[in-house]
Amino acid sequence: MKDVILVLGASGQIGTELVLNLRQTYGDSNVIASDIKDAHPDVMASGPFESINVMDGNRIAEVVDKYKVTQVYHLVAMLSATAERMPEKGWALNMESLFHVLNLAKDGKIQKVYWPSSIACFGPNTPKQNTPQHTIMEPSTVYGISKQAGEQWCNYYHHKYGVDVRSIRYPGIISWKSEPGGGTTDYAVEIYYEALRKGEYTSFLDKGTMLPMMYMPDAIRATIGLMDAEAEKVKVRTSYNLAGISFAPEHVAESIQKFIPDFKLDFEPDFRQQIANSWPQIIDDTAARTDWGWAHEYDLDKMTEDMLKNLKVKLGL
Ligand code: SER
């Protein structure tokens, strides 16, 4: 059967690049982008787009039916910082939309589901160094609780109803094409914009706040790699740990200074510091490497070079 893919959240940071990448592999007309708001012009111009509010399960089902969709990538979520400001709305959005998609798979309307979890599923009691695949979790944010619960529901639907659902615990994702919104790791994107625009940046996370991070091309390769893996290789049906690089704000600054020697970094931690303090610093992703052959490519300097090169063009500098 021909694969037809629906991406929910195609206007978001990951959705934008995922749609463009999937269209290269599966053909433009076989990848349906959708979101509540219009997507990036490149996404709008290169293939079908449907307006979908993921809280409306009937609307998702209607689009699945219209295009004979076989796979759904469900990327819509309210991220950690925003969800702390609107806990009930964050919980409702993150959970109800997941059920809409899992139930379509349970009813045999779609064959495969991708749904991202996050390092936010871990909490203050989790080992911070080389965080194992299976460990104490106990998340302390609304977003983290929704991701942890979501992981368990994915696992339940897989074992109980045979749903082929796959998931990755994304670290903070850094990208130039599309911007993140409402996350605790967003500083690691903003810092590059401000380095080019102003030559200085004030970080809302403090010096020494080490977090797991990843450059977008690696995140996209991991996502598609997991979805393309043979089903029997995907042994973890909650969500896979995934590691790229780990760094603190001052490490990004040092990397930027290799290209912009006068770049200055200040620190003014806000409420997001507490969220960051509850997350791991370095993730052990042996299971992803062993089960389906994951390997990251970008280190910090390679990422910095690519970010600055592409952002300079984007910002017309
Ligand atoms: N980048 C996300 C956030 O900061 C973590 O998944 O909320």
Side-chain angles (χ1 to χ4, degrees), residues 32 63 68 87 96-97 101 113 131-132 135 142 183 211 234 291 306:
I32 324 306
V63 173
K68 306 284 171 267
E96 285 176 34
S97 60
V101 174
V113 175
T131 307
T135 186
V142 173
L211 287 171
V234 185
D291 289 0
D306 200 63

Side-chain angles (χ1 to χ4, degrees), residues 79-81 117-120 143 170-173 182-186 279:
L79 293 190
S80 57
S117 183
S118 156
I119 52 168
Y143 175 64
Y170 286 134
I173 308 288
T184 301
T185 55
D186 294 6
W279 290 350

Side-chain angles (χ1 to χ4, degrees), residues 176-191:
W176 58 268
K177 196 172 190 86
S178 42
E179 288 173 54
T184 301
T185 55
D186 294 6
Y187 90 84
V189 177
E190 288 170 12
I191 193 170

Side-chain angles (χ1 to χ4, degrees), residues 10-21 24 39-44 46 173-180 189 193 215-217 220 306-307 310-311 314-315:
S11 309
Q13 187 196 14
I14 298 170
T16 304
E17 300 213 29
L18 188 68
V19 167
L20 297 174
N21 208 294
Q24 281 173 11
H40 189 283
D42 292 351
V43 170
M44 299 305 282
S46 59
I173 308 288
I174 292 110
S175 63
W176 58 268
K177 196 172 190 86
S178 42
E179 288 173 54
V189 177
Y193 279 84
Y215 196 34
M216 183 66 91
I220 299 289
D306 200 63
M307 276 294 283
N310 283 295
L311 273 183
K314 181 178 172 180
L315 300 174

Side-chain angles (χ1 to χ4, degrees), residues 222-235:
T223 306
I224 296 176
L226 173 62
M227 284 298 269
D228 284 349
E230 290 158 38
E232 54 281 8
K233 288 194 173 157
V234 185
K235 299 198 179 87

Side-chain angles (χ1 to χ4, degrees), residues 200-216:
E200 56 184 37
Y201 178 66
T202 303
S203 170
F204 59 76
L205 296 186
D206 209 355
K207 194 172 177 179
T209 311
M210 185 98 143
L211 287 171
M213 301 277 186
M214 182 172 287
Y215 196 34
M216 183 66 91

Side-chain angles (χ1 to χ4, degrees), residues 4-19 22-23 31-37 39 43 48-64 67 69 71-78 93-105 110 112-116 147 170 223:
V4 179
I5 297 172
L6 171 64
V7 178
L8 302 170
S11 309
Q13 187 196 14
I14 298 170
T16 304
E17 300 213 29
L18 188 68
V19 167
L22 287 169
R23 280 183 176 161
V31 180
I32 324 306
S34 80
D35 207 298
I36 202 163
K37 57 174 194 274
V43 170
F49 177 88
E50 292 282 341
S51 173
I52 295 181
N53 175 351
V54 287
M55 296 303 275
D56 183 352
N58 291 332
R59 174 69 184 137
I60 304 175
E62 191 181 286
V63 173
V64 162
Y67 293 92
V69 168
Q71 301 185 16
V72 173
Y73 286 71
H74 173 18
L75 303 176
V76 178
M78 192 184 289
L93 176 71
N94 294 357
M95 296 312 295
E96 285 176 34
S97 60
L98 174 60
F99 279 115
H100 291 326
V101 174
L102 287 177
N103 285 330
L104 281 173
I110 49 176
K112 231 190 241 185
V113 175
Y114 178 80
W115 175 81
K147 288 300 180 189
Y170 286 134
T223 306

